[in-house]
Amino acid sequence: MITRDLPMYAVVLENLQLLPLLPRFNLKSGFGELSVDEVCRAHGVNTDFFLEIANAYLDELYVPGEGLSLFSLGTMVKYISSTHSYYKEIALPSVEKKLRHLMEHSSLSEKEINLVTNFFNDYKKDFMEHLSQEEEHILPYVLELEKQATLERPGYAFLEKLKNYSIREFEQEHDRLETSLKHLSELIIKYLPPFDDLQLCHQVLNDLSLLMKDLVDHADMEDKVLIPRVAELEKVLLTRAQT
């Protein structure tokens, strides 16, 4: 369990799986002896929110909800946006680069190489479309909903929209995205001949596994915390409008 008074360097050193989390909070190494709280405050990060996310990230049995529900929807939207940037700018390009290098230095047939390459390209397209849908429609809607909830009289146009729309209509695609990554790993392990560069092959499979876990954690936050809270706020606003 990570606490606010622990030295940040010690926390990261003992939990290297937290490294992908740091860019999402704009935290970089070189922490010195500063505590988790001191590092967070120095970078304008809410310490309690960081602790909730980090501890959930480390504990597979953790079910997000009670702790994260204490934070504003705006705080969660900011984190979700940062996570999307991490996926698009770091995680996915890294996997793609290693996978391409693996294909280029393999003895696979052209048909086998195209099979893997096309599979990944299709996945990347679906993945980017999913993130784009959230960023262009869902996240702005959540922020506007939170804003309207603070007004004495929410806007008429927004209330009319609420009567015909609910966040529950937003179909989560995380399961399909995770399954596709699993199928790619299965393709490499089960159906393709052995690769000459075994170490690079293992790196690709490890990166795919880490990305799958990351997607599961990210989906849990959205499905078990963000979506229910948005749905409840929608209900509150509709009730106010009727009275």
Side-chain angles (χ1 to χ4, degrees):
M1 180 77 173
I2 302 174
T3 60
R4 63 196 313 114
D5 298 323
L6 290 174
M8 180 66 92
Y9 87 88
V11 167
V12 176
L13 194 61
E14 294 176 13
N15 304 279
L16 291 178
Q17 59 267 48
L18 287 177
L19 287 174
L21 204 62
L22 300 182
R24 306 174 204 187
F25 291 95
N26 197 29
L27 301 178
K28 301 177 182 179
S29 56
F31 301 123
E33 295 291 337
L34 295 178
S35 67
V36 170
D37 184 49
E38 290 170 330
V39 170
C40 287
R41 286 192 286 110
H43 290 81
V45 175
N46 184 304
T47 304
D48 293 318
F49 185 71
F50 173 80
L51 289 172
E52 283 293 328
I53 294 294
N55 283 311
Y57 201 81
L58 293 175
D59 186 359
E60 294 182 358
L61 299 179
Y62 177 85
V63 178
E66 183 176 348
L68 290 177
S69 64
L70 300 175
F71 300 97
S72 69
L73 291 174
T75 298
M76 284 189 276
V77 165
K78 182 179 179 181
Y79 171 74
I80 290 171
S81 297
S82 295
T83 301
H84 287 183
S85 296
Y86 168 76
Y87 290 152
K88 293 186 290 185
E89 299 168 13
I90 300 177
L92 209 57
S94 177
V95 172
E96 184 175 21
K97 181 179 179 180
K98 291 178 182 177
L99 187 62
R100 186 186 305 116
H101 189 71
L102 183 64
M103 294 298 106
E104 291 173 350
H105 295 80
S106 72
S107 56
L108 298 183
S109 67
E110 182 178 352
K111 181 179 179 181
E112 290 169 332
I113 292 176
N114 288 336
L115 178 64
V116 175
T117 301
N118 291 337
F119 191 104
F120 182 82
N121 288 340
D122 288 342
Y123 172 81
K124 180 180 178 181
K125 182 178 181 234
D126 287 346
F127 190 78
M128 290 300 188
E129 287 177 353
H130 173 76
L131 298 186
S132 179
Q133 181 188 17
E134 286 196 9
E135 292 167 1
E136 295 177 11
H137 302 288
I138 305 304
L139 300 186
Y141 168 75
V142 171
L143 292 176
E144 182 62 24
L145 179 70
E146 186 172 49
K147 175 184 175 182
Q148 292 290 332
T150 64
L151 302 178
E152 183 177 350
R153 289 188 177 184
Y156 175 80
F158 189 81
L159 291 176
E160 286 299 305
K161 179 180 179 180
L162 273 184
K163 294 178 181 179
N164 300 297
Y165 174 81
S166 170
I167 194 68
R168 295 292 186 184
E169 295 178 16
F170 172 52
E171 289 188 10
Q172 295 295 312
E173 297 183 3
H174 300 106
D175 289 344
R176 185 171 63 83
L177 293 172
E178 296 153 17
T179 301
S180 295
L181 280 182
K182 186 176 181 180
H183 287 166
L184 179 56
S185 297
E186 185 178 79
L187 174 63
I188 294 173
I189 296 173
K190 186 175 181 180
Y191 296 104
L192 296 180
F195 286 89
D196 298 329
D197 193 337
L198 194 59
Q199 183 177 2
L200 180 57
C201 179
H202 289 173
Q203 289 177 9
V204 169
L205 291 171
N206 184 63
D207 284 358
L208 289 173
S209 176
L210 291 176
L211 184 54
M212 275 190 284
K213 180 186 181 305
D214 204 309
L215 284 171
V216 169
D217 293 338
H218 184 64
D220 279 346
M221 178 185 178
E222 290 192 349
D223 296 345
K224 299 177 182 177
V225 182
L226 181 71
I227 301 301
R229 283 190 59 194
V230 171
E232 182 61 29
L233 196 53
E234 289 174 336
K235 183 178 179 181
V236 169
L237 277 182
L238 285 174
T239 300
R240 284 173 57 187
Q242 292 171 358
T243 57

